[in-house]
């Protein structure tokens, strides 16, 4: 095997590896904050749902909110083509938020297709405003069920353990940052007004980031294809010169 042929094989292997690694990095349901998710504060988060199947589309997502750290509020942002329903449950121990006792809290959010689908090779983000975030934990675990239009249900419910390998079906985990003075004090109305203003800014920023993220992945794959094509052209040219 001459040097040019070796380069062609190496290029093909490298391209395949990059594509495989890119797929695995986006293969499971995840949750990320739009900005900061500080203990004791409020945050808008995105549940990111990629479609793993080549022959089916995602039509439903169910996210269970952590019962051990109940949240007083969970408000989904409207997503075109989807309906969102928040289920509430009675609390064994009432929460005190802004001086008021809350006896029930959101326990689950369900998004169902209303014409929209997540097709093969696509993903969808579902934004939610959450609060008040707990102060006695560093993370929140959200177990999720992803349903496809062929009736298959994927259960993203395994909690990742620190120091251990990532489970096959990991649950989305939201990491909480340290509490700041900005998240405490003030009346309920002032906190809510600030929270909603922040939500708007974060949502606009997330939309811009989504576009950039998608463009970057497309350009990356295109670059790999062009690189492999260039190596193949070199192989053909070398054969012609040898002939």
């Amino acid at each position: 095997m001459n040097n040019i042929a070796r380069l062609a094989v190496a290029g093909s292997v490298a391209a395949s590896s990059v594509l495989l690694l890119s797929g695995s990095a986006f293969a499971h349901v995840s949750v990320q904050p739009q900005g900061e998710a500080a203990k004791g504060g409020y945050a808008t988060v995105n549940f990111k749902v990629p479609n793993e199947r080549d022959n089916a589309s995602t039509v439903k997502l169910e996210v269970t909110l952590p019962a051990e750290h109940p949240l007083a509020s969970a408000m989904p942002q409207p997503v075109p083509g989807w309906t969102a329903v928040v289920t509430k449950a009675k609390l064994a121990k009432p929460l005190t938020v802004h001086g008021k006792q809350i006896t029930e809290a959101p326990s689950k959010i369900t998004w169902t297709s209303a014409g929209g689908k997540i097709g093969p090779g696509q993903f969808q983000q579902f934004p939610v405003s959450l609060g008040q975030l707990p102060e006695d934990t560093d993370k929140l675990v959200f177990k999720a069920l992803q349903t496809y239009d062929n009736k298959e249900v994927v259960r993203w419910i395994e909690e990742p353990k620190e120091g251990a390998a990532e489970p096959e079906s990991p649950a989305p985990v939201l990491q909480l940052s340290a509490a700041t003075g900005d998240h405490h004090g003030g009346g309920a109305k002032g906190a809510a007004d600030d929270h909603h203003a922040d939500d708007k800014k974060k949502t606009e920023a997330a939309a811009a980031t989504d576009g950039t993220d998608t463009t970057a992945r497309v350009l990356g794959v295109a670059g790999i294809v062009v690189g492999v094509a260039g190596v193949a052209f070199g192989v053909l040219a070398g054969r012609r010169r040898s002939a």
Side-chain angles (χ1 to χ4, degrees):
M1 183 183 292
N2 58 34
N3 289 336
I4 295 178
R6 289 192 183 95
L7 286 173
V9 172
S12 298
V13 171
S16 300
S17 299
V18 171
L19 289 174
L20 287 172
L21 289 173
S22 297
S24 63
F26 295 93
H28 55 78
V29 175
S30 61
V31 59
Q32 292 294 331
Q34 294 182 17
E36 185 181 27
K39 298 177 182 180
Y42 292 83
T44 297
V45 303
N46 287 322
F47 288 96
K48 188 173 184 179
V49 185
N51 194 88
E52 293 186 304
R53 303 294 181 257
D54 295 328
N55 57 352
S57 297
T58 298
V59 293
K60 187 178 181 181
L61 174 70
E62 298 172 76
V63 173
T64 299
L65 305 183
E68 64 276 19
H69 298 290
L71 302 167
S73 173
M75 296 184 293
Q77 178 178 318
V79 176
W82 297 80
T83 58
V85 175
V86 178
T87 303
K88 292 188 176 183
K90 291 288 184 180
L91 295 174
K93 180 180 179 180
L95 289 175
T96 301
V97 179
H98 301 302
K100 295 181 179 180
Q101 280 204 334
I102 297 175
T103 58
E104 65 175 14
S107 59
K108 184 172 70 172
I109 307 175
T110 303
W111 288 270
T112 307
S113 170
K117 290 184 178 182
I118 309 172
Q122 299 178 339
F123 76 91
Q124 177 66 56
Q125 293 199 127
F126 298 94
V128 183
S129 173
L130 299 175
Q132 187 172 10
L133 300 178
E135 299 184 68
D136 58 351
T137 183
D138 294 325
K139 64 183 181 181
L140 293 176
V141 179
F142 300 88
K143 296 182 179 181
L145 302 181
Q146 180 178 9
T147 302
Y148 289 86
D149 56 8
N150 62 359
K151 307 304 180 183
E152 178 188 4
V153 178
V154 180
R155 299 168 62 83
W156 303 103
I157 61 173
E158 298 178 69
E159 183 175 349
K161 302 296 183 182
E162 187 174 354
E166 183 178 72
E168 184 176 348
S169 301
V173 177
L174 177 66
Q175 298 293 336
L176 303 181
S177 59
T180 64
D182 293 341
H183 293 113
H184 300 277
K189 184 179 185 301
D193 290 344
D194 292 342
H195 178 46
H196 291 310
D198 287 343
D199 284 349
K200 183 177 180 181
K201 293 178 182 178
K202 291 173 183 177
T203 300
E204 293 171 352
T209 301
D210 290 344
T212 302
D213 183 53
T214 301
T215 301
R217 287 202 296 275
V218 171
L219 290 176
V221 174
I224 292 170
V225 174
V226 171
V228 173
V231 173
F233 180 80
V235 172
L236 294 175
R239 288 179 177 174
R240 291 196 184 96
R241 286 197 297 271
S242 298

